[in-house]
């Protein structure tokens, strides 16, 4: 009923906030009610309410005032109609696709479009944006809007379970939703290697054509192509053919091009032509938003403290966060319990305890030292050479993150009296992990060795 006013308010807001923020928070809002002193805005989940109250309240009030509706207060409420989103999630295919199917018989359609390999579950709609992934998200959206024009190739990299596959598939799904005749192929580099080897071994025809006559090529887990020189060469030619024809190439990888070992120099330089962006572990707020949104997609509204409990305790990656949430919902349903904090505590506690208990401070120090090829003695000694200082700081960080040791204890494990060094070291590595890909990777590798 107030939609014209609200559209105009949104129009103003869109000019002031970042595109990622606008998409995340504002696209699904509605003006539910308006009186002389008060406006009620409908938002999509409980978590969003807090965001609006804290971050966007003034902005909204000002924009309302500019549009002739000055109010004293704005209330935020969760809209009750989540149905459309849920439908889209469960049926998988966007509406455009289905309309298209009604008009054209499916057989005809599939003869035009090669099988894309895309999972329709991965869309921009159900991807939560925060500061850890907003650059990647914005770039993917730009590519989806203008494939082959901007950022070609688009290279998205980052740790396991952080949403790379989701995002790069969302690009493909968005392109097909807009133009069902677009030829999009999503493939893992492993499959690419395998198909290429089959093509050579069994003289299977059509391999080169299959990948050179398409509009968008999405290759995931590029790191698997490391060391496969012949395949890299084939990929190099595919790349050139597509790039020259202004076709879009999108790549997902757990490492940036320069860190993939044994990537031939010319392929590496090709991959660095376009834009490389990394995705990081989302911050606490974004993790909360992810939990809340995923829960409501399953038709469950969680209390804020339960959401926060999950987000606080699962910091490894989003796949695990999602796993823990699903476990909680399934467990609660089976036992007829409410999926609240105490149920979550019981479960997450179990998940944590299933980690090996026998890890000792000495093992952390030894394995970190060995990883950097220095002696444990040196690590606990007094030398301040750079090649020792950083491993020492990482060891301190791991003593904290894995064993939750106190700072004085951490200091003494490394032969130090002053525990402020331990505090500084842990803080420094925490910060570096966010900013420096190489440090992040080193820490992840050592952590894997600890639990191997
Ligand atoms: P990666 O390819 O980086 O290992 P995935 O794309 O497979 O990670 O993501 C793991 C799971 O987490 C998927 O189910 C994905 O849908 C979900 N996920 C990751 N990031 C987000 C996000 N920002 N919003 C919603 N779901 C996400
Ligand atoms: Mg993946």
């Amino acid at each position: 009923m107030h939609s014209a006013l609200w559209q105009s308010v949104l129009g103003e807001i869109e000019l002031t906030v970042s595109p990622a923020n606008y998409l995340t928070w504002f696209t699904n809002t509605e003006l539910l009610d308006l009186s002389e002193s008060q406006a009620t805005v409908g938002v999509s989940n409980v978590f969003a309410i807090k965001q609006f109250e804290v971050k966007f309240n003034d902005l909204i009030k000002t924009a309302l005032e500019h549009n002739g509706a000055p109010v004293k207060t704005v209330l935020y409420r969760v809209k009750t109609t989540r149905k459309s989103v849920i439908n889209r999630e469960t049926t998988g295919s966007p509406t455009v696709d289905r309309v298209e199917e009604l008009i054209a018989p499916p057989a005809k359609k599939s003869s035009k479009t090669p099988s894309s390999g895309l999972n329709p579950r991965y869309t921009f709609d159900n991807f939560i944006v925060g500061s850890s992934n907003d650059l990647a998200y914005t770039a993917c959206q730009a590519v989806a809007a203008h494939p082959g024009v901007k950022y070609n190739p688009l290279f998205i990299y980052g740790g396991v379970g952080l949403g790379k596959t989701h995002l790069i598939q969302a690009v493909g799904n968005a392109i097909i939703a807009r133009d069902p005749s677009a030829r999009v192929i999503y493939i893992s580099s492993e499959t690419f290697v395998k198909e290429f080897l089959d093509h050579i071994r069994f003289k299977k025809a059509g391999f080169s054509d299959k990948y050179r006559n398409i509009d968008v090529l999405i290759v995931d887990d590029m790191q698997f192509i490391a060391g496969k020189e012949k395949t890299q060469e084939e990929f190099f030619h595919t790349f050139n053919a597509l790039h020259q024809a202004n076709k879009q190439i999108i790549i997902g990888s757990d490492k940036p091009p320069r860190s993939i070992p044994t990537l031939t120099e010319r392929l590496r330089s090709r991959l660095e032509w376009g834009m490389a962006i990394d995705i990081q572990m989302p911050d606490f707020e974004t993790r909360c938003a992810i939990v809340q949104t995923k829960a409501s997609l399953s038709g469950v509204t969680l209390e804020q403290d339960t959401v926060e409990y999950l987000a606080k305790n699962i910091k490894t990656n989003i796949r695990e966060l999602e796993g823990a949430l699903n476990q909680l919902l399934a467990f609660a349903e089976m036992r007829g319990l409410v999926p609240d904090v105490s149920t979550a505590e019981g479960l997450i506690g179990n998940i944590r305890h299933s980690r090996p208990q026998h890890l000792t401070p000495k093992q952390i120090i030894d394995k970190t030292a060995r990883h950097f090829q220095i002696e444990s003695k040196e690590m606990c000694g007094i030398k301040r050479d750079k090649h020792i200082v950083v491993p020492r700081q990482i060891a301190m960080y791991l003593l904290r993150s894995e064993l939750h040791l106190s700072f004085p204890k951490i200091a003494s494990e490394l032969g130090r009296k002053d525990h402020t060094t331990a505090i500084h070291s842990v803080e420094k590595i925490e910060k570096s992990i966010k900013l420096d890909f190489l440090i992040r990777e080193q820490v992840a590798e050592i952590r894997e060795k600890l639990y191997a």
Side-chain angles (χ1 to χ4, degrees), residues 17 21 25-26 51-52 54-60 76:
V17 301
N21 262 328
W25 304 111
F26 290 94
Q51 288 289 309
F52 275 97
V54 177
K55 271 197 189 160
F56 304 121
N57 197 44
D58 289 344
L59 190 68
I60 289 179
Y76 301 93

Side-chain angles (χ1 to χ4, degrees), residues 365-366 369-370 372-385 387-393 414-416:
I365 294 170
D366 289 348
R370 202 174 316 145
F372 290 104
Q373 299 176 339
I374 57 175
E375 297 286 332
S376 301
K377 261 188 296 180
E378 289 178 282
M379 196 119 102
C380 301
I382 48 167
K383 274 202 200 143
R384 300 205 39 82
D385 307 16
H387 78 282
I388 300 176
V389 170
V390 174
R392 190 183 284 145
Q393 290 172 334
L414 283 142
R416 276 153 175 75

Side-chain angles (χ1 to χ4, degrees), residues 122 159-166 168 186 220-221 223 252-253 319:
Y122 296 129
V160 177
L162 297 184
K164 302 180 296 293
T165 298
H166 188 138
I168 58 181
Y186 167 87
D220 206 351
D221 294 317
Q223 70 275 7
S253 164
R319 188 173 297 136

Side-chain angles (χ1 to χ4, degrees), residues 244-310:
Q244 267 161 25
N246 291 325
K247 304 300 187 187
Q248 180 70 45
I249 300 149
I250 304 167
I251 289 161
S253 164
D254 71 353
K255 300 184 180 69
R258 72 187 132 82
S259 303
I260 303 180
T262 70
L263 200 58
T264 59
E265 198 43 50
R266 53 183 197 162
L267 182 53
R268 184 195 320 275
S269 88
R270 285 293 187 279
L271 294 181
E272 284 174 344
W273 266 359
M275 170 96 143
I277 303 179
D278 82 329
I279 298 192
Q280 296 172 12
M281 183 58 187
D283 55 23
F284 175 68
E285 288 188 347
T286 315
R287 294 205 296 278
C288 286
I290 289 174
V291 172
Q292 191 63 274
T293 310
K294 301 229 169 207
S296 56
L297 284 172
S298 308
V300 178
T301 311
L302 292 177
E303 293 295 330
Q304 186 62 17
D305 58 348
T306 318
V307 173
E308 288 181 2
Y309 182 83
L310 289 175

Side-chain angles (χ1 to χ4, degrees), residues 110-299:
S110 61
S111 70
K112 262 198 301 179
T113 4
S115 141
S116 69
L118 291 166
N119 180 341
R121 189 172 85 84
Y122 296 129
T123 63
F124 286 125
D125 276 10
N126 57 19
F127 189 84
I128 314 285
V129 186
S131 58
S132 61
N133 58 24
D134 61 348
L135 271 183
Y137 179 86
T138 310
C140 282
Q141 284 225 316
V143 164
H146 307 285
V149 179
K150 264 187 176 177
Y151 316 142
N152 201 13
L154 176 62
F155 195 105
I156 302 288
Y157 66 95
V160 177
L162 297 184
K164 302 180 296 293
T165 298
H166 188 138
L167 257 190
I168 58 181
Q169 289 214 22
V171 179
N173 281 320
I175 292 173
I176 288 181
R178 200 179 52 231
D179 173 11
S181 68
R183 292 159 304 174
V184 178
I185 290 189
Y186 167 87
I187 186 180
S188 136
S189 82
E190 261 177 316
T191 315
F192 189 86
V193 172
K194 190 177 161 301
E195 285 188 13
F196 177 64
L197 294 180
D198 282 354
H199 156 73
I200 296 180
R201 256 183 237 144
F202 309 117
K203 311 237 170 324
K204 275 198 184 165
F207 177 80
S208 304
D209 291 347
K210 176 176 171 191
Y211 293 106
R212 289 179 199 183
N213 292 323
I214 57 179
D215 302 309
V216 181
L217 177 61
I218 307 173
V219 182
D220 206 351
D221 294 317
M222 193 64 184
Q223 70 275 7
F224 290 132
I225 211 167
K228 320 260 180 358
E229 246 181 67
K230 277 270 167 283
T231 316
Q232 288 187 30
E233 199 174 300
E234 175 63 27
F235 183 73
F236 177 81
H237 294 305
T238 307
F239 182 104
N240 284 344
L242 290 172
H243 199 273
Q244 267 161 25
N246 291 325
K247 304 300 187 187
Q248 180 70 45
I249 300 149
I250 304 167
I251 289 161
S253 164
D254 71 353
K255 300 184 180 69
R258 72 187 132 82
S259 303
I260 303 180
T262 70
L263 200 58
T264 59
E265 198 43 50
R266 53 183 197 162
L267 182 53
R268 184 195 320 275
S269 88
R270 285 293 187 279
L271 294 181
E272 284 174 344
W273 266 359
M275 170 96 143
I277 303 179
D278 82 329
I279 298 192
Q280 296 172 12
M281 183 58 187
D283 55 23
F284 175 68
E285 288 188 347
T286 315
R287 294 205 296 278
C288 286
I290 289 174
V291 172
Q292 191 63 274
T293 310
K294 301 229 169 207
S296 56
L297 284 172
S298 308

